[in-house]
Amino acid sequence: MSDRTDRAGWTPPLRRRRRSRWAAQTPTWREARPALIADALKRASARPSGNWFVVGASRDVRAGGPPYGRTVGGVEVVVWRSDAGELRAGPGTCPHLGAPLRDSRVVCGELVCHWHGLALDGGPFAGWDPYPVHDDGVLVWVRLDPVGGEEPSERPFVPVRPVAGSAVDAVFTAVGRCEPQDVVANRLDPWHGSWFHPYSFVDLTVARPPRGEEDDVFVVDVSFRVTDRLVVPVRAEFTAPEPRTVVMHITEGEGATSVVETHATPLTGEADERPRTAVIEAVVAASDRRGFALARAAAPALRPLMRRTAARLWRDDLAYAERRWRLRSTGRFPG
Ligand code: FES
Ligand SMILES: [Fe+2]
């Protein structure tokens, strides 16, 4: 360590890199074996979810704010907060004559239907039965037992994250014409990174692919591109803790301990011929750098920037997932 590094506890995050042609990088297709990706996907799909589904960002559901609605697996769900900030969730259809409760109003912590004024306090009422709901500080999860069809669990399987308060988080949502497994399969193919997203990633290598249930992790070395010549090298680990979630943990390099969680929530029911899936991605960025305290203070300004980066990547990744679904659903998927 140099004196300067010692004194300031600081190492420059950016590395200079020589310019290189896209086509000159090493092809990754030989390593990205379809069977390896399919096996990782199969193991992920077999893990329990406890029937929990991510519906949105915690900050999308404000105390005193309007209700938040989303359809999950063909089931309309409404979520709101009590005056004390506690989450309430249940069917998004009014038990009286079916008004869409997502368009209703929250008055003194109660959801008041805008058609005839029926008020729900979050407890069972006239055939309306609440759904279990969980706020993990970044995301809101709802448990839908008939949609999940698994053994229910008390809580969702929330990935390990940097300590609250030491991180900046942003949540990004996009919707694609595919099933959750297509979104997960895209994430379990890290090899496409620097080929398909050259504007964001360079020098991607999979240092270690998963070795089965015991060691089910992709260890990836990659550089995030800041400008044409400046990059930030990191090591990241990809895991699928449950069937609809893939997590990227940054384990070494700038932003170590940061996580990017990709959650795939089915919007349509299982029998739907035109499935749609929401990708709800939470970026929880952490850093030891002193400047990061400033970044935290600037979080409201940073969030749109973080979301913009995710939006560009997801435009391409959804094209990948949608393509995979189209091929699968017409029996044309290779292999
Ligand atoms: S439809 Fe909601 S109160 Fe009548
Ligand atoms: Fe991608």
Side-chain angles (χ1 to χ4, degrees):
M1 233 187 256
S2 74
D3 272 4
R4 200 183 83 176
T5 309
D6 256 329
R7 252 198 326 270
W10 189 87
T11 48
L14 297 172
R15 300 270 186 283
R16 231 170 230 296
R17 184 184 177 281
R18 70 199 142 63
R19 210 171 260 131
S20 59
R21 279 182 313 114
W22 176 81
Q25 58 184 319
T26 311
T28 50
W29 67 270
R30 284 188 193 80
E31 286 171 60
R33 288 189 293 110
L36 192 155
I37 297 167
D39 286 349
L41 178 66
K42 207 184 280 170
R43 291 192 298 273
S45 314
R47 291 191 184 116
S49 75
N51 301 330
W52 288 93
F53 296 84
V54 170
V55 293
S58 300
R59 75 171 64 81
D60 285 343
V61 198
R62 289 179 291 111
Y68 176 88
R70 184 172 288 289
T71 301
V72 178
V75 174
E76 270 185 283
V77 175
V78 69
V79 183
W80 76 97
R81 284 192 201 267
S82 70
D83 276 355
E86 262 174 61
L87 279 180
R88 311 269 185 244
T93 308
C94 180
H96 176 224
L97 283 171
L101 292 172
R102 65 191 298 167
D103 299 330
S104 294
R105 284 166 62 171
V106 179
V107 182
C108 300
E110 291 194 333
L111 185 61
V112 179
C113 179
H114 57 307
W115 280 12
H116 314 90
L118 183 144
L120 296 163
D121 64 5
F125 186 78
W128 186 94
D129 282 312
Y131 298 140
V133 60
H134 179 76
D135 184 351
D136 70 22
V138 177
L139 298 169
V140 173
W141 304 67
V142 169
R143 199 181 84 199
L144 296 167
D145 295 336
V147 177
E150 294 176 23
E151 188 68 33
S153 65
E154 187 65 28
R155 291 263 173 269
F157 299 92
V158 181
V160 179
R161 297 185 182 141
V163 204
S166 70
V168 176
D169 68 272
V171 177
F172 168 77
T173 303
V175 172
R177 281 164 309 218
C178 61
E179 290 177 341
Q181 66 146 296
D182 301 302
V183 171
V184 173
N186 166 271
R187 274 295 192 249
L188 296 179
D189 163 18
W191 290 277
H192 74 260
S194 43
W195 280 99
F196 195 38
H197 311 292
Y199 49 83
S200 277
F201 306 117
V202 279
D203 303 330
L204 186 146
T205 54
V206 176
R208 193 153 56 73
R211 296 190 185 127
E213 194 62 64
E214 296 311 304
D215 183 20
D216 213 355
V217 49
F218 291 83
V219 181
V220 175
D221 291 323
V222 63
S223 290
F224 291 105
R225 200 191 268 287
V226 178
T227 67
D228 201 26
R229 304 274 308 273
L230 292 174
V231 298
V232 181
V234 301
R235 170 162 281 199
E237 295 191 0
F238 289 77
T239 51
E242 58 110 277
R244 291 177 289 273
T245 300
V246 178
V247 185
M248 180 187 84
H249 278 100
I250 298 192
T251 54
E252 286 170 40
E254 180 67 13
T257 77
S258 297
V259 299
V260 177
E261 294 173 20
T262 306
H263 300 276
T265 299
L267 303 181
T268 43
E270 208 146 73
D272 205 300
E273 281 181 6
R274 297 165 55 88
R276 288 174 358 111
T277 295
V279 178
I280 302 174
E281 189 160 272
V283 180
V284 187
S287 170
D288 292 338
R289 289 179 188 284
R290 287 188 194 155
F292 209 73
L294 265 181
R296 271 203 312 282
L302 273 178
R303 265 183 206 114
L305 192 74
M306 289 163 81
R307 266 198 291 269
R308 244 198 324 274
T309 312
R312 184 162 184 198
L313 283 171
W314 270 111
R315 207 173 34 238
D316 289 340
D317 281 331
L318 274 181
Y320 178 127
E322 290 179 342
R323 168 88 183 162
R324 184 179 185 275
W325 178 77
R326 261 199 313 280
L327 293 181
R328 282 196 309 115
S329 61
T330 50
R332 292 181 294 148
F333 191 65

